[in-house]
Every structure is written in structure tokens, then in C-alpha cells.
Amino acid sequence: MTLKKIKDFIFNNETDLKDRLFVLIMSSLVLSWGIALIEIIITGAEWFTIAALSGGVVSVILIAIISIRKNKIKIGSLLITIGYCFIYVPLTFICGGGIYGDAPLWFLFGIILINLCLGRRVKIALLLLYWVELKALWHLDLRRPDIILQNDEMMAHVYSFIAMILIGLALSIIISFWIILYDKEVERSKKQKSEIEILNKAQNTFFSTMSHEIRTPINTIIGLNEMILKENISDEVAEDAINIQSASKLLLNLINDILDMSKFASGQMELTPANYQTGNMLSEIVGMLWLKAKEKGLEFKVDVSPEIPAELFGDEIRIKQILINILNNAIKYTKEGSVSLHIECGDAQDGITNIIYTVTDTGIGIKKESLPYLFDAFKRVDIDKNRYIEGTGLGLSIVKQFLDLMGGKITVNSVYTKGSTFIVEIPQKIISDKKIGDVNIDNRSSIRKQMTRMSKFVAPDARILVVDDNASNLLVISKLLRETNVKVDTVSSGEEALKKTLNSFYHVILMDHLMPEMDGIECFKNIKNQTGGKCKESKIVALTANAGSDNRELYMSEGFDGYLSKPVMGEDLERELYRLLPSDLTFVQGTDQQIYEETISWMKNERKKKAVIISTESVADLSQEIIDKYQIAVLPHLVCTAEGNFLDGVEIEANGLLDYMSDVSHKVTTKAPDVSYIEAFFAKQLSTANNVIHLSISKTLANSGCMAAMEAAKAFDNVTVIDTGHLSSAQGLVVIEACRLAEQGKSPQEILKHIEKVKNKIHSSFIVDNMEFLARYNQVSSRLANTARSLMARPVLILKKGKMRVGKFYFGSREHAWKKYIESILKFPSGIDKRILFVTYVGLTGKDMEWIKEQIEKNMSFDKIYFQKASPVIAVNCGPGTFGLLTRDAETKDRLI
């Protein structure tokens, strides 16, 4: 291999960096050894030293050449490194004066060789062996110096000096290579960056041009179709026209998605907020999606809270795009059933309210493992099932990116094969205190009513000039303005426009941007500077198919008075003209109330969803009074007998179960619901609430449903499961605290943070009358149960850090044991919350409860004492004669009940 070939190989960017580094280091090593060989020949070294070094040089060259030709550079690197570190270095050490020769310097080069040439695992192993070798050699020099061939003082200095020069030379070559390589990479990165910028610019130009070219014919279709709807036509023709309108707008939304994806990729996407009518926006969305739902035989429901502000400030175009994408997906992935849109708003703070859009479908749902990839561009989940469903794969990715820009969020709750719910929250500024209110009118007929509405104003003395090189666009604008009685002149070029403005005055000029010969911006400047021109003070509006905030900023910076994006809707055009025309020229038609009702006539009011719903399990042992007061959702456990499985507390109650169990041949087991059942439970709760916080029994207890609930929650973004570390009414105390916080309007995050603190301040314990039931279900051994019964011992079960254990035993009669238990729990009254005490029991009589209450009141006074019958699941494990005092530390002044 010649020097030129070596150089070309080292600086070839297409060759792997490790391979180039290998050739560079081997070349440096051969060069160093070659110089060292000349050195020892000149200094008259022993023949075997010369032969060994010569052999080393030849071996390195041969291994390097073979490794490169056979493409086995990793093996070659390993062989040469082993040969250098474990043959050359020891020989140099022994034959070159030990620690007083040049071996220590060559040893350092070996460390560099290992780190640069080898992979991670091999590198670590060889470094360890190398250090072991070093220790052995140093020990040899110390203990057996007679084995080391010593040089005289002069030669020792010469060898060390030359070794230092050679190693320095090799390191200089390697470092220089890295510097050159770094400079080349920087240069290449700059070149690639420049190429990418040019490519992005070309791509954006292409998308912008494509958008312009497609929007122009769509503008004609939508505009003329709108004029058809304003005519006196049959219902059948009107139906067809509405369908054309909906399909055209969906096509327009797809074009926007493609264009926006390009802008997001290049970091050029910006929002364009403005005031907008909530009713108008929602009407347009429903009008577009109703047809698609109808074609698939789906029911399309729209529920709107009457509390939503009628006018908001935000990017209406992007919000529509978000909702259209989500609704379009819901319709596409639903074969039968319904798609619903629910809209409500949160409480206003500093003039900002959170608008919450909930889209629910009964479609195929989303697998849990697919949820993390849901918002990736061009990625479609569950391809096997969805391969026949049309779509670009851009919609949800764009939705997520727009929401990030708006400071909003999107959450997904889905049960595979059952359906999905997408919840979108967008903070918006409130412009008007006026609310949408309660309206209940048929959906479809009102859409047509809105589209066939009369013009909002007339201006018979106003003059408008429309400049556009497309004849269809001129026709559309003229017809859209026909009912306003505005006098409209049209021209197809900038040159013709200048002729008109030289002799005639126009109140407003609608100017297309991309025109041949003279574009809209150039024409705008010429009109403003036209000598003798009569339109220098006219309002000029950019009318263009180049959509986007960057184009809006361009027109505003050039001095345009307004901006309308094609395809232009009649209502948008009228609104812009009404804004720009002198007030004495315009005459409003109809009352404000008529116009307002038109925009919201299709809406149907529904009760507002709860922000947070608290759910728990039947083993929380809460009274029906508390469950009803806080509207707590209860997930029942199962009680399994030979006669069948029964829902805990719903299909079976504790006393009946205890009677059944009095026959020892009757076996009863309990179990938590499975994941699919809990998923359905969570999905049901999310139909009435935006978030679910589920407080579960301690996961360390037998038959706990905590782990299954956590697994089920993975299908939902808005469900959080908390392991309370408790059971029975102690768990109920945690649930009550969570409900209280939810009633105060606390966010899910605030509730979770507080509950994590509270659950450690609640204490669970039970005194068991006998251990027979515990033994029957293998909670304790039969031998222990028999011994306890013989000694009249009654155990106290304590739940601590989520684990149940026997705390202590009380001996003697039942009343004596109960009294001692009550005294021990209420021993320090100052540390117990006096507002509420839960006494949860199994199989007690009314007389028993009266006696227990008297003993409690002798030790401590409580505002409220709840005697709560334990659930059948608790009863199975404890048996009759069991009760527990469930308390909370006295640290907070918040009311529980």
C-alpha cells in the first residue's frame, strides 16, 4: 500500500471512521517502530532485539494489509493490539532496562491503542489485563531485578528520549487527523445545512404553489355552489349542493394539512389569532362532517354547553382544522354506532377560559401499545385492521403540534374494539360575556338555513373593484356580493386595474397576489403612488390562495388593509367589506338576535361534564349517603360461590353471605374484576367526566384490584389510579377527601398531590372475634386459630404501609377485648381528627353497636360517628363479630363531610 493510497484511504469520507483510524494508527506504529529499528541498529543492540523488532514491524504490516483486503479490520485491530500490549511491551520492559528504560512510555501508547482501536467490551477486558501485566512487570523489576537487562545510564537516556520523540510523533499524527477530520465534518455540515435550507425553500415554494393552484378551482366550486344554495331550489338540489360544499371544504382541509406539515418541519408555523364567533365556527364544522357520517350510516351527535362564550379570541382556522381532523378520524374508524362532539368551558380566570372539545366514537378503538405512536406523522397504528381506511397519516400529528403552539393539550382514552374518546383543551380569551345559551333545533335543516341566509347588509352606493387573473374567481366574487347590491367592477390584470383607478374611485379593492406581468403587491404600490389616481386612499384587501400567517404578515407589512384567503366564503367576504366600507354606506338587514340564532340553531344543549369524577372499589365500605352526596363511582369486586359469581354489594350483601358461610361446606372466594371489566368501567365514567381518579385498595393485599386497575388505566390518558395503601372505610376516608377537593374545583394534579400526603395520615385496624374465617381462607394457620380460640385471644389486624399484619392480642371476654381495643385506638385524643369516625363492622347486632358507641364516647367525642356495615368481600375474610375504628390524624382544618 503506497503512501498516496494510505492518505486517500484515511481521508475518504465514505470509509468507516474506525477503519480509517485503524490504518492511521498502524501507519504511525510502523513508522515509529521503523525509526526505533534504525535507532537500535545504530546503537549496536543485541541481534535478537533487532530481530524481534523487525518481526514486529513485518507482522503489523502483514496483518494490516490482510485485514483491509479481507474486510476483517476488527480482528486485525485486536491481533495487533494484543501483540503490541502483551508481547512488545513486556519484551521492551525486560530487555530495555525495566522502569529505567523506554518501556513506560511505550506502555502509555498501548493504552491509547486499546482505547482507539477496540470495541467497548473488548476494550474493558484488555485494559484490565494490561493493568495486571503492568503490576506484574513492576513487581518483577522490584523483586527480581537480576532478570531485567539493564542499560548503562547514557543509553537509558538515549532510548527514553527517542521513545518520547516517536510516541509524540505518533500522537501528533493522530491528533492532526482528528483536527482535519473535524474541520471537514464542520465544512460538510455547513454544506448540508445550506442544501437542506435550499431544499426546504424549494419544498415550501412547491407546497405554496400547489396550494395556490388547487385553491383556485376550489374557490370557484365553493363560491358558485354557495350561490346555488341561495337560489329558490328544490330540497333534493339543496341536499346535493350542501354535499358538494362539505366535500369541497374537507378537500381544502386536507390541502391545509399538507401545507402545514411543511411549515412545522421548517419551523415557520405561526398562529394568527383574531376574534371569532363560536357558533359560526361550530356550525361550519358540523356542516362539513355531517355528510361523511350520514354516508356511513352513523349517528352524529353535537352537545354544547350553554355556558360557552359567544365570542372568543384565538386562531379560528387552526381550531377548525384540529376538530375536523379528529372528527374525520372518528368517522373513518367507526363502522357502526355514533360519533359525538361535546363542547364545554372551564371557569374563567383573568379573561381566559379553557374550551374543552370531547370527540367520542364507537369505533375500533386503539391498542394500548399503539397509543405512544398516535401523534407521529405518517404513522398508522394497527395497519392490518386499518389498511383499507383512507388517509394521509398527518391529521393527529398536526393536531398535536397546533395544540402545543396554542398552549393546549390533547388526551386519548380508548378501549380496543369498543371505541375512543379524544379530549382537546384550548385556552381562549373571552371577548364577550354573552353566552350561547340553550337551543334545541334540528341539525340538518338549520345548516341549510344558515347557508341560504340573506346578506347581512346592503350597500347600493358602494363601489368595489376586483382584480384577479382567473375569470372564475371574478365570477364567484361578483355573485357572492350580488345580494349586497354593491356595484362591482372586475379586471383580470394589474395593468387594467391601474386604468380603472386612474378614472374611477372605489371604496374597496380586492387584489389577487399571484398574477402574470404585474403581481398584486406591485399593483398595490402603483395604485397608492399613481399620479392623478383616484384610489390612493381606497382600502385594498389581499385576495389570495396563498394561505398562512406568513403571507398575512407579508400583506400587512406592505400596507394592505385586509386579507382574505381563497376559497372565500360569502360570510367572510361580507364581514370584511362591512368592516372596511364607510358606515354611512352600509345598511344592516335583520336584527342582531336573528343573526345570532342563525349561527347556533343546530346546537343541542346537554348537561356539562364534571371536570373530575372520583371512583373507588366496593371494599371502600362507604355509606350510600356519602356515595350519593359526592356521586362516587363504585367498582364492585366479585364474591364467588358454588351457586355463581355475585357483584359485591350489588347482588349480594354481608348478612346473607355470613348465613351461607355458617355451613363450613360452603366455600366462598373473592376476586377483583379483570382488566377488560375495569376498562369498560373507566370508559363509562369518562362519558360524564373529563378525568377519572380511581382510589384503589392496597396492592399488597390478597385479591387486590389495584394492579388490574393500573393496567386498565393505560388505555386512557385521563384516568389515574392511586394505591391508597388501605382498605375498608380507611380507604373510604381517602375517597371522601378526594371528593371534597374535586368539589372545590381542584385540578387532577392538585388532588393527586394532596392525596399522596393524606393517605399516610389515616389508620386502619380491626379486632377479630375469632380467627376461624381467617384460617378458612388461609390468612392464618388452623393451628394458630385453634390456639387463639382456646386462650380466648382476639387478634387486632393492623394495615401498615399497605400490608396487613397481626398487631396484638387481647385476652378474655369479648366485651373486655373490645374495650381494651377501643381504649388503645383512642389513647391520644389530641392527635385524632374529631370531626369524623368510621366504625366498620361485620355481623354486629344493634345492641353491640350501642355498646361500642358508648365506649367510644367515654374516651373521646366526635362530631360524627358512622357505623358502616362492611362489604361482603371484607366479611368473607374476617367473619362476624369483627369491627374496626378508622381514624385520621388531626392536622388539617378542611371539612370532610
Side-chain angles (χ1 to χ4, degrees), residues 30 50 536 771:
V30 169
I50 297 172
K536 292 182 179 181
M771 304 178 75

Side-chain angles (χ1 to χ4, degrees), residues 767-774 785 788-789 793-795 878-882:
I767 183 167
V768 179
D769 196 41
N770 67 73
M771 304 178 75
E772 177 188 344
F773 278 73
L774 293 173
R789 184 169 61 252
R794 291 172 172 80
C878 296
T882 297

Side-chain angles (χ1 to χ4, degrees), residues 384-656:
D384 290 341
K385 214 166 196 178
N386 303 331
R387 62 184 181 276
Y388 299 117
I389 297 177
E390 61 187 12
T392 61
L394 290 176
L396 290 181
S397 174
I398 289 172
V399 165
K400 182 68 167 64
Q401 293 181 80
F402 272 134
L403 287 171
D404 289 343
L405 274 180
M406 295 177 181
K409 69 174 184 176
I410 182 169
T411 51
V412 185
N413 305 310
S414 184
V415 178
Y416 189 55
T417 72
K418 298 292 180 61
S420 304
T421 299
F422 287 77
I423 302 173
V424 172
E425 299 181 37
I426 307 175
Q428 298 283 270
K429 184 177 180 182
I430 301 172
I431 299 301
S432 169
D433 291 333
K434 190 174 184 180
K435 309 294 183 184
I436 283 183
D438 298 331
V439 185
N440 291 281
I441 296 181
D442 176 64
N443 182 1
R444 188 63 172 171
S445 61
S446 60
I447 293 175
R448 182 182 174 189
K449 179 183 175 184
Q450 182 195 345
M451 300 186 81
T452 57
R453 60 173 179 74
M454 65 180 179
S455 174
K456 290 182 179 178
F457 72 92
V458 291
D461 296 327
R463 298 197 64 188
I464 306 296
L465 176 65
V466 185
V467 186
D468 199 308
D469 63 318
N470 186 288
S472 297
N473 289 341
L474 295 175
L475 177 64
V476 168
I477 298 297
S478 299
K479 288 199 170 189
L480 288 176
L481 293 176
R482 185 170 59 189
E483 292 188 4
T484 65
N485 295 335
V486 171
K487 295 180 177 66
V488 180
D489 288 341
T490 61
V491 293
S492 58
S493 68
E495 187 177 344
E496 291 180 42
L498 290 174
K499 291 178 182 178
K500 288 279 189 181
T501 57
L502 183 62
N503 301 309
S504 304
F505 171 75
Y506 297 97
H507 295 96
V508 177
I509 300 172
L510 303 178
M511 181 76 66
D512 185 29
H513 180 191
L514 298 180
M515 297 185 293
E517 297 180 7
M518 183 188 301
D519 67 23
I521 293 176
E522 185 180 355
C523 184
F524 167 85
K525 292 177 179 178
N526 289 336
I527 290 173
K528 292 296 184 181
N529 298 314
Q530 189 177 35
T531 303
K534 295 187 177 181
C535 294
K536 292 182 179 181
E537 302 301 322
S538 297
K539 304 294 184 181
I540 303 180
V541 177
L543 182 65
T544 178
N546 284 337
S549 57
D550 50 347
N551 289 304
R552 179 188 292 269
E553 290 176 3
L554 169 65
Y555 300 131
M556 295 300 104
S557 65
E558 291 291 348
F560 281 85
D561 298 287
Y563 167 93
L564 283 171
S565 174
K566 297 177 186 177
V568 179
M569 305 300 153
E571 189 174 359
D572 294 337
L573 181 59
E574 288 181 15
R575 187 185 297 115
E576 189 69 3
L577 287 179
Y578 184 77
R579 182 178 71 86
L580 294 174
L581 287 172
S583 59
D584 58 338
L585 295 180
T586 57
F587 303 93
V588 176
Q589 298 190 108
T591 65
D592 290 342
Q593 185 61 27
Q594 287 174 328
I595 296 171
Y596 172 69
E597 287 179 356
E598 276 186 1
T599 66
I600 61 171
S601 60
W602 52 270
M603 297 179 189
K604 180 177 69 177
N605 173 43
E606 187 181 75
R607 179 175 56 84
K608 183 178 179 181
K609 279 188 172 184
K610 294 179 71 174
V612 181
I613 193 167
I614 305 300
S615 68
T616 188
E617 297 158 78
S618 57
V619 292
D621 290 336
L622 289 167
S623 68
Q624 195 59 46
E625 175 191 348
I626 294 173
I627 291 172
D628 293 341
K629 177 179 179 179
Y630 292 112
Q631 296 180 334
I632 301 166
V634 179
L635 176 67
H637 280 225
L638 289 174
V639 178
C640 307
T641 71
E643 281 69 31
N645 297 336
F646 303 92
L647 294 177
D648 181 25
V650 178
E651 300 173 334
I652 193 169
E653 55 88 32
N655 287 345

Side-chain angles (χ1 to χ4, degrees), residues 409 411 423 425 610-614 685-686 689-693 717-719 748:
K409 69 174 184 176
T411 51
I423 302 173
E425 299 181 37
K610 294 179 71 174
V612 181
I613 193 167
I614 305 300
Q685 306 318 312
L686 286 169
N690 292 325
N691 297 276
V692 174
I693 294 178
D717 281 347
N718 292 47
V719 175

